Amino acid sequence: MEKKKVKVLINGAEYTLVTAEEPEYVQRVAVKVDKTLAEISAGNPRLSTAMLSMLTSINLADALIRLEDSADNLRKQISDYSKSEIQLSTQISEKTARIEELEQKVHDLQIELAKSSARNGY
């Protein structure tokens, strides 16, 4: 994939990023970083740029880990649902086969009853 240079603005400073990502995506990332940094800065106006950057990194890493944990939980739920679906499908197949057996038995009994009735003159 071809690398592109994308200019972004974070905390009033312009950065040129070299990336294979689409510029719109890179801008979204930069806006998220800038917004998080601004929120932290508003609550702690005396922080140095280094401390502000570190707290922003920690907050974004925390959000990332929480989302990864949530994604793992969803993957586990999907796996559990898939296993349940397989079990239910098996049960449905077994019940369907049993219904077919019983329907055949009813049919055979109806034929036997009809023959018996014919022999007995009913």
Side-chain angles (χ1 to χ4, degrees), residues 91-104:
Q91 289 175 4
I92 288 170
S93 294
E94 291 168 355
K95 300 299 181 195
T96 301
R98 180 68 178 138
I99 288 169
E100 289 170 0
E101 281 177 32
L102 292 171
E103 286 174 341
Q104 183 62 46

Side-chain angles (χ1 to χ4, degrees), residues 66-84:
R66 289 177 190 275
L67 288 171
E68 287 172 341
D69 289 347
S70 179
D72 287 344
N73 184 39
L74 289 172
R75 278 190 280 276
K76 183 185 177 313
Q77 286 180 8
I78 289 169
S79 174
D80 291 347
Y81 292 146
S82 292
K83 289 174 187 171
S84 293

